[in-house]
Amino acid sequence: MTNESSYDVVVVGGGPAGCAASLAASRNGAKTLLIESHPYLGGAATSSLVSPWMTNYHGDKQVIKGIFQEIVDELVKYDGSTGTLKCPYDELGKTQGTGGHITPFDAEVLKFVLNKLLLESRVEILFNTSVGSVSATEGKVTRLELKGKQEQKSVSGKVYVDATGDGYIASAAGAEFEFGRKEDGLTQPVSLLFKMTHVDLDMFIDYIKTNKEEFVWVTFPELPDDLPRHFAQQMVAVTGFNALVAEGQKSGELYLGRERITIFSDFKKGEVIFNATRLNQIDGTNEKDMLYAEIELRKQMMSLVQFAKKNLPGFQNAFLGPAAANVGVRETRRIMGDYLLTEQDVLKGRKFPDSIAKGCFPIDIHSPSDKKNRWTELEDAYDIPYRAICPKKLENLYMAGRCISATHEALASVRVQSHAMAIGQAAGTAAALAAKQNHFTRDMNVPFLQETLKEQGAII
């Protein structure tokens, strides 16, 4: 038996972009449904432990607020975050690895906070539910067939928001998309993040301070004076140990897909986050590839845990802590929209008359073909235009998150979660306005949308 329900706005994907879109749509008067395949919200932040959130600042100027800031403030209330922290560097104008600011958070508290905010805003949520098929005709999505734990269900909406990360709804409805970089179609590698606990952080930081030549970059985030005493009283973000990694890989002691180790200490005493595993040439939309990645990356994780306990200062009595439930995917389909955000748009900090959000994270390309990284600073924060969230050939669907219309290089900036939330707020607000006025996405009164976003705390 199949039940059928109708909504003003249907959002698919309960990650950072989808949660922001759902909150914005419902708060702007739309009857809103959020569909999520996991039994919890948060996407990459919770299922893949992608933490901390990267910068929402360019230099010392905050350029992303709105729902992102609201979520951060809620996390702070429940001891789930320090708030956003500035990350100073020895070399002026450099922000490697962080973009200049980070926002540490607790994934379990985030699950609670997102539930709380969405339920308070009267968003209807479907957990453990995936989209089986997409019906579309004459450039309009008409229906989604859902698969849950029990009965099948069919839902329809006036307007849809694709926050799946993979652009599944848009592509299934016939939207054009690109995949990977131009020269060979390869996407950025996948990674599995994990934590280690019971680390002697004082010993680790002391070693870093006296051996800075061993590191590609290092920063000590500035902590607020009123930080609770049960939080860590010093933090570090660092990448390096290149010589040690090379030696371990040569001897066979270390199995790792990178040439260095990147570590962010957490705000919880004795905990650190490793963003150090890597696997190239994986299609994040291919089940066989992802099965291989889940197995291989856990091999890398366990090898690195044992290597760290033996070789990294302060890790001798440490343990493996929480590990990501799902491999983190940086890039899959990029849905082609009415405007394609380019590398130069991002690097030059270009402005657009139809801006609906800002981006500020440097271009960070984890090479799809070797173990290296390319990091390029931005001249200024850039605008994300409304046209970049409107897929070609579709009239009642918006993209939100890393599936928006951008080149491989531009996506290397816009993909981070702070940006996904800003885009999600814009897409959800636009969806509510379109549904309320019974018009298509290309009929949007963009100046009115911009004013609405600004009134609700967004920076455009």
Side-chain angles (χ1 to χ4, degrees):
M1 181 178 178
T2 301
N3 294 326
E4 187 164 337
S5 304
S6 61
Y7 298 85
D8 295 323
V9 175
V10 176
V11 180
V12 186
C19 286
S22 300
L23 284 169
S26 189
R27 289 172 176 179
N28 281 283
K31 181 184 178 184
T32 303
L33 173 68
L34 174 59
I35 301 164
E36 169 54 44
S37 60
H38 289 92
Y40 51 84
L41 299 170
T46 52
S47 69
S48 299
L49 289 188
V50 180
S51 172
W53 285 327
M54 292 297 113
T55 192
N56 56 320
Y57 280 71
H58 184 268
D60 290 326
K61 183 178 181 182
Q62 186 171 358
V63 297
I64 298 174
K65 287 186 179 179
I67 287 173
F68 170 80
Q69 187 63 55
E70 180 182 355
I71 291 170
V72 173
D73 292 344
E74 283 291 310
L75 285 166
V76 171
K77 286 182 189 178
Y78 294 97
D79 273 2
S81 177
T82 59
T84 299
L85 306 175
K86 183 175 181 178
C87 297
Y89 290 78
D90 289 343
E91 191 174 349
L92 190 64
K94 299 297 183 183
T95 68
Q96 295 99 322
T98 68
H101 289 75
I102 57 171
T103 307
F105 63 90
D106 180 276
E108 298 305 320
V109 178
L110 178 61
K111 291 175 186 176
F112 162 77
V113 164
L114 293 175
N115 286 348
K116 175 178 180 288
L117 292 176
L118 267 69
L119 292 174
E120 287 174 350
S121 298
R122 299 184 179 180
V123 175
E124 185 176 333
I125 305 169
L126 283 179
F127 283 146
N128 302 304
T129 303
S130 58
V131 175
S133 63
V134 179
S135 297
T137 182
E138 297 179 348
K140 296 182 285 295
V141 178
T142 56
R143 182 179 293 103
L144 305 178
E145 300 295 335
L146 308 182
K147 297 186 294 185
K149 284 185 174 289
Q150 294 180 338
E151 59 188 0
Q152 290 185 321
K153 186 174 184 178
S154 174
V155 298
S156 61
K158 294 180 180 178
V159 185
Y160 298 80
V161 178
D162 186 337
T164 62
D166 296 329
Y168 171 71
I169 306 304
S171 62
E176 299 175 9
F177 64 88
E178 291 184 355
F179 202 95
R181 58 188 184 184
K182 278 196 177 297
E183 58 264 38
D184 53 19
L186 295 180
T187 60
Q188 290 203 49
V190 296
S191 296
L192 186 130
L193 277 73
F194 64 92
K195 289 186 177 184
M196 290 189 73
T197 64
H198 297 83
V199 176
D200 185 335
L201 193 60
D202 291 338
M203 181 185 293
F204 184 58
I205 288 178
D206 286 345
Y207 180 87
I208 292 169
K209 287 180 176 178
T210 55
N211 296 274
K212 280 193 174 182
E213 70 282 355
E214 291 188 23
F215 304 102
V216 179
W217 56 260
V218 60
T219 179
F220 301 96
E222 296 179 350
L223 304 180
D225 293 335
D226 58 351
L227 196 69
R229 294 302 302 173
H230 55 277
F231 281 23
Q233 297 302 301
Q234 58 176 341
M235 292 175 63
V236 66
V238 63
T239 195
F241 296 108
N242 295 50
L244 190 64
V245 169
E247 183 180 333
Q249 290 175 328
K250 184 178 180 180
S251 70
E253 181 184 4
L254 178 61
Y255 177 56
L256 194 65
R258 294 190 72 173
E259 85 287 5
R260 63 191 198 220
I261 298 171
T262 300
I263 296 174
F264 294 85
S265 69
D266 202 2
F267 65 94
K268 297 178 185 178
K269 292 180 178 180
E271 290 194 7
V272 302
I273 302 156
F274 281 78
N275 186 348
T277 67
R278 178 185 288 183
L279 198 59
N280 278 324
Q281 300 189 36
I282 295 295
D283 177 352
T285 67
N286 181 287
E287 290 180 0
K288 288 185 178 180
D289 276 13
M290 290 303 290
L291 170 62
Y292 176 71
E294 292 283 355
I295 293 169
E296 282 298 302
L297 289 173
R298 290 189 198 281
K299 289 181 185 177
Q300 291 189 24
M301 175 187 74
M302 290 308 299
S303 178
L304 183 51
V305 167
Q306 296 304 315
F307 186 80
K309 286 171 64 68
K310 181 180 176 181
N311 295 287
L312 297 189
F315 282 77
Q316 283 64 42
N317 298 314
F319 294 92
L320 174 64
N326 295 100
V327 163
V329 178
R330 294 181 174 88
E331 177 188 12
T332 53
R333 300 183 190 95
R334 306 188 316 278
I335 305 299
M336 295 296 98
D338 292 344
Y339 184 83
L340 182 67
L341 193 70
T342 70
E343 179 178 17
Q344 289 303 305
D345 293 337
V346 170
L347 290 176
K348 299 296 183 183
R350 284 182 178 152
K351 309 300 186 285
F352 298 96
D354 60 338
S355 172
I356 43 82
K358 285 192 175 293
C360 53
F361 188 60
I363 289 180
D364 178 25
I365 299 179
H366 298 244
S367 173
S369 52
D370 57 37
K371 296 180 179 181
K372 299 185 181 302
N373 271 58
R374 173 194 155 197
W375 180 276
T376 312
E377 301 285 352
L378 311 184
E379 292 183 12
D380 194 6
Y382 57 92
D383 288 353
I384 299 169
Y386 174 77
R387 291 163 291 160
I389 67 171
C390 298
K392 293 178 180 179
K393 299 183 179 179
L394 294 175
E395 299 289 344
N396 67 336
L397 184 143
Y398 291 108
M399 288 101 67
R402 64 173 172 82
C403 59
I404 73 163
S405 183
T407 64
H408 169 78
E409 294 78 14
L411 186 73
S413 166
V414 81
R415 64 184 171 83
V416 297
Q417 295 172 86
S418 56
H419 296 37
M421 284 183 255
I423 297 166
Q425 181 172 358
T429 303
L433 295 178
K436 188 183 299 184
Q437 296 163 12
N438 288 307
H439 62 54
F440 295 132
T441 56
R442 287 168 183 80
D443 300 323
M444 175 62 61
N445 181 337
V446 175
F448 181 71
L449 168 62
Q450 291 171 321
E451 286 304 312
T452 303
L453 286 167
K454 287 190 285 188
E455 287 171 4
Q456 295 171 9
I459 298 175
I460 63 169

